[in-house]
């Protein structure tokens, strides 16, 4: 990891912030990286800029540590604590990497160019342009799956980006304050204080868990008159939540949720979303209406518009609607000199940060080998092999679950000790010492003073 690089030493500072970036060397090939998430950053940390001119294009000028995003929706952790400016990453060790805060709107694999568009509100004279590449690394992630259902984008909150966490936080506190408004009708109070989460994957489960902690630890103290009316419901279409975990941990999670009075509706599929209620179909095919105050939508991923556009351009080779097809070397099928990593691909692995990180690291090693081969030195390029390090999830009340590979099998553990392990794993995986310091500080702050209940 980049790890313990502190702020303070002038030498380190000047290396991280060279007065000006070196111009690109015309003798080197140019690699453009699309994205500043897990896959892109893992690649950028390892790519050798002595071999290539490297340029990054992303609408987000920071890296986001997504595993702790659910904690930000309730103020256990502050948003800035899990963000790292992309320029810290690109300039680290005097690396010569250019960054453009912009969205890639089109990729033309034939002319080997990308079109980019400035995303800032304040635009200069030029806000759209086309850039050529020698190699392209597509790491644009995925977007929220809505199945095209009307009402989801209008009324539900997602949980993927910084602004989603802010939005959830605002909506939650709006619901609570409106429920406490003078002469509010009892059925309206019940609706406003009903928080519904759709999707029992890890995102939905972790959000429900954080919300429970916030209600129990803080809202009940500050809003005692509303305390017994708060309700959380998790709706999942499959027979259980967290299907990727062992059955033992699924049962443990469902038992913990029951103790925490989180209602879990399995075999229940959301069919319609309106402003104040959702309609679901239960296991017996009955349609039931569920009024809600806050609706959080966490039903997984689907390809971004850019990915779909690229797939349409090379449709003979791209036959899956679920993401870019790549070979074992991360090469995009049907597009020369183009690679893809992370959630934008459709591969046999789950779309996780763990997979994206390993793919980014692997791809940097492929580029290293390509550079050596070009110099006439023989270098074997081996296919990508994923090494699963285990799955972890927070389930509330200071408990976490973990499925970990052990010898040739797997061990499943859950409880408070696993929560301590969960915290230590995430802290050690954070990008910088600064991030670690801030997150530990936030944990201590919320323990000592409670979470901030202001909007
Ligand atoms: P991302 O990290 O999403 O990055 C995509 C990047 O592309 C972003 O910088 C985005 O701004 C940029 N981009 C988007 N469109 C364009 C465009 N048109 N042009 C250029 N750039 C673009 N995984 C785990 O392994 N463990 C966990 O505990 C875990 N927890 C999670 C918790 C939450 C709440 C969520 C939402 C996900 C979690 N995941 C976890 C999954 C993990 O975050 C993703 O698998 C991971 O982010 C994928 O990395 P990526 O680089 O493919 O995409
Ligand atoms: P997911 O795909 O894992 O789960 C979505 C769930 O929504 C599924 O169980 C699906 O059956 C359900 N669903 C879909 N449509 C529905 C409907 N109409 N009504 C009711 N339920 C419906 O999605 P996610 O939880 O957003 O996770 C996305 C990816 O990120 C996954 O690969 C996951 O492993 C990863 N992730 C990992 C962690 C972690 O490791 N702790 C945390 C968050 C996300």
């Amino acid at each position: 990891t980049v790890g313990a690089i502190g702020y303070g030493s002038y030498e380190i500072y000047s290396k991280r912030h060279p007065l000006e970036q070196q111009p690109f060397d015309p003798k080197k090939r140019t690699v453009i990286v699309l994205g500043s998430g897990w896959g892109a950053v893992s690649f950028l940390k390892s790519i050798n800029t002595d071999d290539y001119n490297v340029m990054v294009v992303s609408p987000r000028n920071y890296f986001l540590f997504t595993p702790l995003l659910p904690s930000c929706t309730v103020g256990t952790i502050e948003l800035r604590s899990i963000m790292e400016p992309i320029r810290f990453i690109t300039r680290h060790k005097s690396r010569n990497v250019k960054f453009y805060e912009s969205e890639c709107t089109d990729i033309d694999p034939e002319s080997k160019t990308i079109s980019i568009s400035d995303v800032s509100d304040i635009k200069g004279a030029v806000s759209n342009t086309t850039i050529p590449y020698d190699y392209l690394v597509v790491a644009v992630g995925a977007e929220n799956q809505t199945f095209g259902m009307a009402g989801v984008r209008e009324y539900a909150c997602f949980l993927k980006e910084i602004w989603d966490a802010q939005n959830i936080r605002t909506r939650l506190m709006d619901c609570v304050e409106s429920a406490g408004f003078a002469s509010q009708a009892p059925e309206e109070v019940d609706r406003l204080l009903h928080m519904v989460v759709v999707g029992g994957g890890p995102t939905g489960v972790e959000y429900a868990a954080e919300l429970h902690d916030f209600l129990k630890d803080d809202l009940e103290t500050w809003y005692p008159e509303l305390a017994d009316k708060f309700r959380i419901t998790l709706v999942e279409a499959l027979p259980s939540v967290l299907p990727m975990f062992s059955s033992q941990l699924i049962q443990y999670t469902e038992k913990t949720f029951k103790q925490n009075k989180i209602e879990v509706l399995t075999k229940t599929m959301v069919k319609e979303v309106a402003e104040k209620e959702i309609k679901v179909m239960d296991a017996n095919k009955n349609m039931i209406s569920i009024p809600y105050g806050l609706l959080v939508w966490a039903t997984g991923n689907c390809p971004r518009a850019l990915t779909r556009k690229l797939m349409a351009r090379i449709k003979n080779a791209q036959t899956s609607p679920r993401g870019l097809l790549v070979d074992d070397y991360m090469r995009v099928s049907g597009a020369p000199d183009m690679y893809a990593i992370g959630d934008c691909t459709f591969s046999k692995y789950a779309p996780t940060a763990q997979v994206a990180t390993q793919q980014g690291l692997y791809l940097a090693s492929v580029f290293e080998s390509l550079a050596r081969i070009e110099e006439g030195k023989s270098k074997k390029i081996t296919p990508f092999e994923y090494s699963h390090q285990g799955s972890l999830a927070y389930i509330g009340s200071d408990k976490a679950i973990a499925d970990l590979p052990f010898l040739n099998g797997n061990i499943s553990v859950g409880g408070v000790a696993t929560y301590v392990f969960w915290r230590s794993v995430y802290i050690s995986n954070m990008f910088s010492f600064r991030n670690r310091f801030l997150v530990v500080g936030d944990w201590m702050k919320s323990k000592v003073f409670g979470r901030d209940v202001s909007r």
Side-chain angles (χ1 to χ4, degrees):
T1 61
V2 171
I5 298 295
Y7 281 67
S9 144
Y10 175 73
E11 199 200 347
I12 291 172
Y13 183 84
S14 58
K15 275 188 180 160
R16 279 194 17 229
H17 301 276
L19 293 178
E20 59 182 71
Q21 292 281 284
Q22 300 297 311
F24 272 0
D25 180 346
K27 291 194 289 299
K28 292 187 201 166
R29 307 239 171 151
T30 298
V31 182
I32 301 188
V33 182
L34 302 181
S36 53
W38 282 95
V41 161
S42 153
F43 175 80
L44 287 169
K45 278 198 303 192
S46 309
I47 182 76
N48 187 348
T49 52
D50 291 339
D51 292 330
Y52 300 97
N53 297 316
V54 181
M55 182 190 291
V56 184
V57 168
S58 176
R60 231 173 52 184
N61 74 350
Y62 55 87
F63 166 76
L64 176 64
F65 190 85
T66 45
L68 292 178
L69 193 59
S71 303
C72 297
T73 58
V74 293
T76 315
I77 293 175
E78 300 296 337
L79 285 166
R80 296 232 159 239
S81 306
I82 61 165
M83 295 158 73
E84 190 63 57
I86 194 72
R87 286 175 201 278
F88 171 52
I89 296 156
T90 56
R91 295 195 181 186
H92 176 63
K93 292 189 197 155
S94 313
R95 289 164 147 256
N96 189 17
V97 178
K98 273 194 181 135
F99 174 72
Y100 292 122
E101 192 190 58
S102 47
E103 185 184 1
C104 174
T105 50
D106 199 7
I107 301 169
D108 184 346
E110 270 186 32
S111 61
K112 289 178 65 177
T113 55
I114 59 164
S115 305
I116 66 167
S117 182
D118 188 351
V119 288
S120 73
D121 291 338
I122 304 159
K123 293 198 175 34
V126 176
S127 56
N128 293 294
T129 190
T130 302
I131 309 175
Y133 64 83
D134 294 309
Y135 296 112
L136 185 69
V137 177
V138 185
V140 295
E143 65 177 60
N144 297 288
Q145 176 64 276
T146 65
F147 307 100
M149 203 180 287
V152 177
R153 290 203 181 275
E154 290 92 321
Y155 307 121
C157 300
F158 298 117
L159 182 50
K160 203 169 195 38
E161 298 285 353
I162 284 292
W163 50 88
D164 295 328
Q166 277 163 336
N167 190 23
I168 290 179
R169 168 61 180 241
T170 308
R171 289 276 282 268
L172 172 64
M173 292 319 298
D174 274 351
C175 286
V176 176
E177 294 295 352
S178 296
F181 191 74
S183 328
Q184 198 65 271
E187 62 276 14
E188 191 60 354
V189 173
D190 287 345
R191 178 185 73 80
L192 287 164
L193 295 182
H194 189 198
M195 315 305 171
V196 176
V197 183
V198 182
T203 305
V205 164
E206 290 193 330
Y207 175 67
E210 293 283 351
L211 183 55
H212 160 268
D213 291 359
F214 187 39
L215 296 182
K216 263 304 13 85
D217 300 344
D218 305 279
L219 291 183
E220 287 190 358
T221 311
W222 293 104
Y223 300 85
E225 69 287 4
L226 302 174
D228 59 340
K229 299 198 172 63
F230 290 121
R231 279 195 307 139
I232 306 172
T233 300
L234 181 71
V235 184
E236 167 56 52
L238 297 175
S240 75
V241 296
L242 298 178
M244 64 293 284
F245 281 83
S246 64
S247 56
Q248 186 192 336
L249 291 182
I250 291 173
Q251 279 169 23
Y252 182 71
T253 304
E254 290 184 346
K255 192 175 113 208
T256 305
F257 271 24
K258 200 168 181 184
Q259 283 164 356
N260 289 345
K261 299 200 175 67
I262 299 173
E263 191 176 4
V264 179
L265 303 176
T266 50
K267 297 186 191 160
T268 305
M269 187 176 253
V270 177
K271 291 288 187 185
E272 279 177 49
V273 174
E275 192 182 353
K276 296 180 179 178
E277 60 170 20
I278 53 171
K279 289 215 169 69
V280 301
M281 190 169 74
D282 72 6
N284 302 318
K285 306 239 178 300
N286 297 319
M287 288 297 283
I288 301 165
S289 172
I290 304 179
Y292 69 85
L294 171 73
L295 181 66
V296 173
W297 192 265
T299 62
N301 294 342
C302 73
R304 289 190 190 279
L306 175 72
T307 313
R308 291 198 303 269
K309 206 165 168 181
L310 173 62
M311 292 191 302
R313 276 184 182 269
I314 42 175
K315 57 176 181 291
N316 289 342
Q318 293 292 331
T319 48
S320 167
R322 296 175 64 183
L324 285 167
L325 293 174
V326 291
D327 66 9
D328 288 348
Y329 303 87
M330 299 293 126
R331 291 180 297 206
V332 175
S333 308
D337 298 325
M338 194 188 297
Y339 298 79
I341 50 178
D343 285 7
C344 63
T345 64
F346 175 56
S347 61
K348 41 189 180 287
Y349 319 110
T352 63
Q354 209 181 136
V355 171
T357 303
Q358 290 185 27
Q359 289 177 338
L361 208 63
Y362 164 80
L363 194 56
S365 76
V366 170
F367 275 77
E368 162 83 27
S369 301
L370 289 174
R372 299 293 77 82
I373 289 168
E374 194 133 298
E375 286 170 355
K377 297 177 186 153
S378 98
K379 192 96 189 183
K380 196 165 177 278
I381 304 179
T382 50
F384 172 71
E385 268 179 53
Y386 173 60
S387 153
H388 187 60
Q389 303 297 304
S391 304
L392 285 166
Y394 181 59
I395 59 167
S397 309
D398 292 348
K399 290 177 185 162
I401 53 170
D403 260 336
L404 304 168
F406 186 67
L407 299 176
N408 287 332
N410 205 47
I411 51 166
S412 302
V413 283
V416 178
T418 313
Y419 177 53
V420 176
F421 175 69
W422 177 90
R423 281 189 162 191
S424 62
V425 167
Y426 284 156
I427 277 293
S428 61
N429 275 305
M430 296 215 77
F431 197 82
S432 63
F433 176 72
R434 174 184 153 274
N435 281 150
R436 289 187 196 121
F437 182 82
L438 291 173
V439 166
V440 171
D442 290 343
W443 277 334
M444 284 165 57
K445 198 173 67 179
S446 57
K447 225 14 169 210
V448 176
F449 300 109
R451 297 172 188 83
D452 179 352
V453 293
S454 59
R455 192 155 82 96

